[in-house]
Amino acid sequence: MVSKWKKMKLALSLNLCNYLPRTLEEEPPSLALNSAETLSDAALLSPLNWPMTPTPSSYRRRLSRSSSKSSKTCSICLNKMKEGCGHAIFTAECSHMFHFHCIASNVKHGNQVCPVCRAKWKEIPIQKPSLDLPYYPFDRCNNDAAISLFRCLPPSQRAITQGHPEPATFDDDERLEEQIVFDGETEVLKKENRDYVRMMDMKMYPEVSAVPQSKSCENFDVLVHLKAVTGDQISQYRRAPVDLVTVLDISGSMGGTKLALLKRAMGFVIQNLGSSDRLSVIAFSSTARRLFPLTRMSDAGRQLALQAVNSLVANGGTNIVDGLRKGAKVMEDRLERNSVASIILLSDGRDTYTTNHPDPSYKVMLPQISVHSFGFGSDHDASVMHSVSEVSGGTFSFIESESVIQDALAQCIGGLLSVAVQELRVEIEGVSPNVRLSSIKAGSYSSLVTGDGHSGLVDLGDLYADEERDFLVSINIPVEEDGHTPLLKLRCLYINPLTKEITTLESHVLQIRRPEYVAEEKVVPFEVVRQRNRFLAAEAMAQARTLAEHGDLEAAVKAIENFRLVLAETVAAKSCDRFCVALDSELKEMQGRMRSSHMYEASGRAYILSGLSSHSWQRATARGNSRDSSSFVQAYQTPSMAEMLRRSQAMFLVSPSHHRLIQPLLSFASQPKPR
């Protein structure tokens, strides 16, 4: 029997050309092998590792026969490759397969070509002590920066928490980026921001501009309209940095294309966060785990986040409660805090660990941070996810097709990265002693009217750049012999997210004329009619949903039909106001999704709840497939959202796995303003 040393000597002599320089200028790599790096005897003796020299046709045929077997046999160690046998399998760009530990050892010696066909590899397997080989879900032809980072990740200085015990307290968030401030810069910034804060638009529209002296009015509507500063003005002063936690469903139902598209979408989010923004990812199935702490999205932070997301594998049940609890804990335990904070929840299934839906514990465990939830497919629990968003001040989006997950996230991120105003509160005061406030319609926003009716307030939270808020104040107007009746004045208080200063703005006094006679009935302004229609539509949706949940789909369809008839008679609808036309189209779509109990369960409930979320918060959500240019999803879309959506759609490529072409989404921002 030939000794092991003679075998190795023979093999090394045969393989020597593998280590010879290809040109005279190249330095040959080191041939030093320690005991840990030594290839197996079978690998050294394998003809597939012989040098690439001109070979006769007989050898080429033999090489071809060998490569045909490489799909089942590792060409380095010559052992069988079977899934589930405890060894990772690496598939190269040239389609040849190897045991991962075999090819990683080969690469360590400087070989960056396929041992079978000698093709030069662009994606090189790198063995890490605690991680499996990342899976690359991106299209190879896509040249996005995210893919460049995926292709060659250097060893990370931090271990991803998979397989490592989590700390009891999540106070290991990365320090905020230090701001270098030159002399006088702070004062200049504050002065400039005081100027830009005053550019926040604040208007009031009375139901009519004149009321006869002898006439009193009850439930006289006054529309209060607010609009945040434009995105262009925000960019002059730097935007507010964000702390973001994404809570991702990786249960068994997320396997295959869903998980690949989710990874791609998260890659887009990671690449569009700035170095001052921080991200943490929670993955949940039967239990939840934190992949990494709140980390700044510097180059190193992006690499860590991309690698962590790419290592996810779908399996297990769906424990939404545990995922949210852990996401909330990350926010609560952080030592430092960015100005803007939000949680994003994505799931395609029902919570299999919490049976009492809707779970009252959701409200208790969530911090004072908005949760934007995204339910995709026909099996997610739309009622629970909508409730989570509603109690936290976030929005609920329904993604009918998983192919638009990235677009939905892009729209949301576009808003979060453009927060202009925080903790906005509007105080309303009746000016005339006899003017009384009777009610305030503000959708899901908290509102209050004092007992004597002299004042009220509305808490509107954060506003994105260019975002608008509208609410209706109903007042009682007395008989007045004077020529004018002063009605209301406003006082706005909010925090500038950059300077942390509290800013106060006061409006002019709204008054109406009180002539002795009014010749003809005045036309109610479009602005007032439009918002009346929005609130009435939301009420019709809520009524229809209640009827549908009790099994009376016919009555639910009828409730929406009744409002559509009322809507058609309004001045705005008769004038083909774009808002009203789009609103009617949305209501018609809801009716179609309630024609049968199967359709309602599959998509009708989620579609209605997403519409309710959008109209009650006056903020853009995704619903349906969100690709149709007539979709109502653009109604509250800001330019920042539209721009991020454009970036998302620009990187999408049509692949054989997606049979329909992705069409550009038209935004109201690109259309003439309705006002």
Side-chain angles (χ1 to χ4, degrees):
M1 181 180 293
V2 183
S3 66
K4 181 177 180 181
W5 168 247
K6 289 183 178 180
K7 287 182 182 179
M8 292 180 63
K9 188 175 180 181
L10 174 62
L12 286 172
S13 65
L14 291 173
N15 278 283
L16 186 60
C17 291
N18 273 341
Y19 297 96
L20 293 177
R22 293 185 179 85
T23 64
L24 294 177
E25 292 78 19
E26 284 187 39
E27 291 291 334
S30 173
L31 290 175
L33 300 176
N34 57 39
S35 58
E37 294 173 335
T38 304
L39 296 177
S40 65
D41 294 350
L44 290 172
L45 292 172
S46 172
L48 298 178
N49 286 331
W50 291 357
M52 186 176 181
T53 56
T55 57
S57 59
S58 60
Y59 177 73
R60 288 200 182 98
R61 286 193 297 271
R62 182 167 44 143
L63 186 63
S64 176
R65 288 195 299 270
S66 299
S67 63
S68 66
K69 298 178 182 178
S70 63
S71 60
K72 296 182 180 180
T73 303
C74 176
S75 300
I76 296 177
C77 69
L78 300 182
N79 290 323
K80 296 291 185 181
M81 291 187 296
K82 294 182 180 180
E83 294 183 359
C85 291
H87 294 290
I89 298 173
F90 174 77
T91 302
E93 302 163 47
C94 53
S95 299
H96 292 116
M97 301 171 66
F98 313 89
H99 285 128
F100 176 74
H101 64 273
C102 293
I103 196 63
S105 178
N106 202 37
V107 167
K108 274 199 292 188
H109 292 15
N111 293 332
Q112 298 185 8
V113 296
C114 176
V116 178
C117 65
R118 314 302 294 176
K120 189 173 182 180
W121 290 340
K122 296 179 182 177
E123 299 174 353
I124 302 169
I126 300 174
Q127 192 164 23
K128 295 182 184 271
S130 60
L131 294 176
D132 292 333
L133 178 70
Y135 163 72
Y136 302 94
F138 295 93
D139 292 337
R140 190 172 288 116
C141 53
N142 193 330
N143 293 322
D144 189 82
I147 304 166
S148 300
L149 287 173
F150 267 115
R151 284 179 171 167
C152 188
L153 291 173
S156 174
Q157 298 301 315
R158 291 184 235 176
I160 298 171
T161 58
Q162 181 176 2
H164 297 270
E166 290 181 337
T169 304
F170 292 155
D171 56 359
D172 52 354
D173 51 301
E174 186 174 0
R175 296 285 303 272
L176 299 181
E177 186 176 34
E178 293 184 5
Q179 299 292 334
I180 301 176
V181 180
F182 298 99
D183 293 340
E185 182 180 343
T186 302
E187 291 303 319
V188 171
L189 182 63
K190 288 184 178 180
K191 179 182 182 300
E192 289 174 336
N193 277 280
R194 278 196 293 270
D195 292 339
Y196 108 80
V197 162
R198 290 190 181 124
M199 295 172 66
M200 177 176 167
D201 198 9
M202 180 169 52
K203 296 179 181 179
M204 287 183 282
Y205 298 88
E207 182 179 314
V208 292
S209 59
V211 175
Q213 294 179 359
S214 59
K215 182 180 179 181
S216 63
C217 296
E218 293 186 356
N219 298 322
F220 181 93
D221 284 339
V222 175
L223 171 66
V224 177
H225 171 74
L226 305 162
K227 183 177 180 181
V229 65
T230 65
D232 291 340
Q233 291 164 321
I234 283 184
S235 63
Q236 297 175 14
Y237 309 101
R238 305 188 305 270
R239 63 170 178 82
V242 177
D243 279 347
L244 179 65
V245 175
T246 57
V247 181
L248 309 179
D249 184 349
I250 57 166
S251 59
S253 60
M254 284 292 298
T257 304
K258 284 184 182 179
L259 187 59
L261 290 171
L262 177 60
K263 290 179 179 180
R264 183 187 184 114
M266 281 302 302
F268 177 84
V269 171
I270 291 166
Q271 285 303 315
N272 282 279
L273 293 176
S275 60
S276 297
D277 302 316
R278 299 190 301 176
L279 173 70
S280 180
V281 176
I282 307 295
F284 70 91
S285 53
S286 301
T287 58
R289 59 186 170 87
R290 187 188 65 165
L291 300 188
F292 55 90
L294 271 176
T295 304
R296 288 196 299 109
M297 288 297 99
S298 58
D299 288 343
R302 286 196 184 102
Q303 291 176 5
L304 171 73
L306 290 169
Q307 186 177 2
V309 170
N310 222 32
S311 69
L312 294 175
V313 177
N315 58 61
T318 306
N319 196 336
I320 296 177
V321 170
D322 199 27
L324 279 175
R325 185 181 293 115
K326 198 149 289 186
K329 183 174 175 60
V330 170
M331 287 297 192
E332 289 173 340
D333 293 352
R334 54 191 169 144
L335 293 179
E336 298 188 70
R337 297 170 183 247
N338 269 325
S339 301
V340 181
S342 187
I343 297 173
I344 289 179
L345 168 67
L346 296 100
S347 177
D348 76 330
R350 297 177 180 273
D351 196 320
T352 54
Y353 290 83
T354 306
T355 57
N356 53 325
H357 291 323
D359 182 15
S361 66
Y362 282 118
K363 188 169 185 178
V364 175
M365 71 180 179
L366 292 175
Q368 297 298 314
I369 292 174
S370 61
V371 178
H372 299 284
S373 60
F374 297 80
F376 43 95
S378 59
D379 296 326
H380 73 277
D381 198 329
S383 297
V384 165
M385 298 187 75
H386 175 262
S387 297
V388 167
S389 295
E390 192 72 12
V391 300
S392 66
T395 56
F396 167 66
S397 292
F398 166 45
I399 307 173
E400 192 164 18
S401 170
E402 60 264 19
S403 63
V404 296
I405 293 175
Q406 180 171 305
D407 285 355
L409 278 180
Q411 180 174 260
C412 181
I413 293 298
L416 293 174
L417 298 183
S418 64
V419 172
V421 170
Q422 289 188 297
E423 299 183 28
L424 172 62
R425 167 173 287 189
V426 181
E427 298 175 351
I428 309 109
E429 181 183 348
V431 178
S432 177
N434 296 321
V435 171
R436 297 285 189 274
L437 280 67
S438 58
S439 67
I440 298 175
K441 288 186 177 181
S444 291
Y445 294 102
S446 175
S447 61
L448 173 69
V449 175
T450 58
D452 58 8
H454 282 300
S455 62
L457 61 86
V458 182
D459 287 322
L460 296 169
D462 298 355
L463 264 68
Y464 303 152
D466 297 282
E467 207 168 33
E468 302 177 8
R469 293 290 180 268
D470 298 275
F471 57 90
L472 290 171
V473 181
S474 294
I475 61 176
N476 299 328
I477 300 177
V479 174
E480 181 69 59
E481 294 183 358
D482 197 2
H484 295 83
T485 299
L487 300 179
L488 304 172
K489 67 176 181 180
L490 306 177
R491 183 169 177 259
C492 291
L493 298 94
Y494 50 89
I495 297 175
N496 183 317
L498 288 175
T499 64
K500 309 296 192 300
E501 290 184 328
I502 297 177
T503 305
T504 302
L505 292 179
E506 293 190 359
S507 72
H508 66 279
V509 175
L510 175 69
Q511 56 184 0
I512 57 172
R513 294 185 296 107
R514 302 302 297 270
E516 189 173 352
Y517 300 102
V518 176
E520 58 183 17
E521 194 71 27
K522 297 292 183 180
V523 177
V524 179
F526 268 22
E527 291 82 359
V528 177
V529 175
R530 190 179 291 120
Q531 297 309 318
R532 280 179 176 172
N533 289 337
R534 176 171 71 90
F535 289 120
L536 291 173
E539 292 174 5
M541 293 176 195
Q543 181 187 5
R545 186 217 169 188
T546 301
L547 292 169
E549 294 296 335
H550 287 86
D552 197 346
L553 291 175
E554 185 177 351
V557 172
K558 184 66 175 176
I560 290 182
E561 182 63 28
N562 290 339
F563 174 70
R564 289 184 65 198
L565 295 175
V566 173
L567 179 65
E569 295 301 316
T570 62
V571 175
K574 290 180 178 179
S575 301
C576 296
D577 175 60
R578 289 189 68 234
F579 186 93
C580 292
V581 171
L583 183 57
D584 183 69
S585 297
E586 182 186 21
L587 292 167
K588 183 178 180 181
E589 178 70 18
M590 289 180 181
Q591 287 179 300
R593 292 174 185 262
M594 291 192 294
R595 296 297 181 187
S596 68
S597 58
H598 173 73
M599 291 185 67
Y600 179 74
E601 292 291 334
S603 67
R605 177 187 292 113
Y607 194 92
I608 292 174
L609 288 175
S610 181
L612 268 174
S613 179
S614 181
H615 294 303
S616 61
W617 293 112
Q618 210 170 348
R619 178 162 281 172
T621 65
R623 50 194 173 278
N625 61 24
S626 297
R627 296 292 188 191
D628 185 359
S629 61
S630 66
S631 172
F632 196 73
V633 71
Q634 304 96 25
Y636 308 114
Q637 195 180 79
T638 67
S640 298
M641 291 177 172
E643 169 58 22
M644 196 63 72
L645 191 58
R646 183 198 64 77
R647 292 186 198 177
S648 172
Q649 294 180 345
M651 70 173 284
F652 250 105
L653 299 174
V654 179
S655 66
S657 61
H658 299 96
H659 298 291
R660 70 170 182 272
L661 181 65
I662 295 173
Q663 300 176 353
L665 184 65
L666 299 178
S667 167
F668 273 14
S670 64
Q671 304 287 337
K673 289 286 184 181
R675 287 195 176 94

